[in-house]
Amino acid sequence: MAVSVQPSTSVQKYLADSPKKILIGGEWVDANSGKVMDVTNPATNEVLTQVARADETDADRVVQAAASAFENPEWRWMSASERGHLLYKMAELVAERAADIAEAETLNVGKPIFQSEDDVETVVDCFRYYAGATRLLEGATPAVPTDFFSYTLHEPIGVCVGIVPWNFPFQITAWKVAPALAAGNTVILKPASRTPLSALMLGQIGLDAGLPPGVLNVITGPGAVVGEALASHPLVGKISLTGETSTGTKIMKIAADGIKRISLELGGKSPSVVFADADLDQAVTASLTAIYFNAGQMCAARSRILVQEEIHDQFVSEMAARAHKLRLGNPLDREVHMGPMISQSHVETVRRYVEIGVSEGATLVAGGGQPDDPSLGSGNFYLPTIFDNVRNDMCIAREEIFGPVAAIIPFKTEEEGIRLANETSYGLAATIWTSNVKRAHRVARQIRAGGVWVNTNMTLFNETPFGGYKTSGMGRELGIESLMSYTEAKHVGVFLGETVRGFKI
Ligand code: NDP
């Protein structure tokens, strides 16, 4: 299948106009240095367009703008319902521009178009959800001694920085921007350098919706330069990063100096635990999706599939047979299941892990290389790959490969399945496959992960928290948990008695 990716006319125009500017204080401006960087299409490795390559001086400019926007009474004292109205307007504008955003995302990330369309749809709902949630920032009147009246307020933190990865650029952008704005903060968005387009589009949507200048800013540039400059800036109150665990460690150290609030959504090596009493057909279908969706470039990919020994052989042969049927190709083609990976260097990383798997003694039962279709030769494609007879202590079972590589690990008893599932430094997600309702809940409680799903893949809802135990991160995206994490709790205590307490002088 040829990879002649042809954007629609409107997206072609957007790319040709080349959004080479950053959004600071309500204006699209050049980076101070005037430098730009290429944005490529991973299906062809052709340059799609160029964006600004900002540096530390731009980071300072954008923080100053966001800090002064936070002090602007128009935003600072805006009522919750008005803020909700603006977020609702943003949701409507995302919905209106959904086709262009999804197409730009597919061209830039390489994910099949139906996946980008789903991402955009969830973003619309995310803005709607937090539009309503602005009015849920209710305080309390705790039962303090009767000569006091105490109440609590949830106030915005100030300038919040959202640093976003390349695998779900638009969705994760919304997960950070919508709750931060709902709580009344000002936001600086730093998209991944490989995938900045949808974040820039959201910046324009913020302007068009009528956010006051500087409330939502977008800056593009290398994370090691711009990201670190933002994270260490004294006027920044909170950093929310989604990225690699090693990047999370850096941000945590930087944030420690300024006692900044942080929320980290990091890597994973998530298990599916398939018991012998599971619906095998559904478990296989869903396990394929859970590892090959977005070419396995998912923090919550179920990359370790623990299969009870009674059904192990049948599971493996079904999984391998179906993996061979997955269609790779042009991600704009609606028949395609899997697009390219993000970059050639990432393909190289996956190739090295596959070599390690073979040398560790795991059995390669599907994939294990790039497709031989010459029409895919210029893109970053890699075949859906399955290793069987993997042990939990092997490198391919311990480290996050972040590509289309599944490791099947046999187990005997429920206790062993739980032990193997938990035997990882990560703790983001897990799926349990069983028809025994008691076992489902029993096992769900024992799994050390931020999300456990029963008889289904990960289905995220904007209403439910998402995040990790252990090295998978700290804090939660989505739900009310995320909204609250963008606030400071304030206690106001009022003395109602006659004689104030103090020194007896
Ligand atoms: P990176 O950590 O490399 O990059 C993520 C973001 O951080 C990018 O915007 C990047 O900018 C920026 N960045 C990089 N280095 C620094 C730094 N020193 N200081 C500040 N910012 C920096 O991750 P990837 O983009 O490679 O994303 C993949 C990772 O994200 C995987 O490990 C995956 O598991 C994780 N992830 C976690 C999710 C979760 O919810 N737990 C969800 C999705 C992904 P630039 O692009 O310019 O380098």
Side-chain angles (χ1 to χ4, degrees), residues 365-382:
V365 293
Q370 293 197 254
D372 50 20
D373 179 347
S375 71
L376 302 181
S378 57
N380 311 320
F381 292 90
Y382 200 89

Side-chain angles (χ1 to χ4, degrees), residues 164 166-167 190 193 223 228 243-244 247 265-267 299 400 402:
V164 176
W166 46 257
N167 59 343
K190 208 304 277 172
S193 295
E228 289 199 18
E244 289 178 16
T247 314
E265 303 298 336
L266 310 172
C299 51
E400 182 181 45
F402 219 58

Side-chain angles (χ1 to χ4, degrees), residues 425-441:
S425 59
Y426 293 110
L428 187 57
T431 293
I432 301 162
W433 293 96
T434 179
S435 54
N436 178 335
V437 72
K438 291 186 185 177
R439 168 181 279 154
H441 292 287

Side-chain angles (χ1 to χ4, degrees), residues 353-395:
Y353 271 113
V354 170
E355 263 176 27
I356 292 171
V358 171
S359 70
E360 285 180 311
T363 317
L364 189 62
V365 293
Q370 293 197 254
D372 50 20
D373 179 347
S375 71
L376 302 181
S378 57
N380 311 320
F381 292 90
Y382 200 89
L383 290 170
T385 297
I386 302 173
F387 278 111
D388 187 21
N389 298 317
V390 176
R391 287 192 324 272
N392 225 16
D393 60 350
M394 290 179 178
C395 173

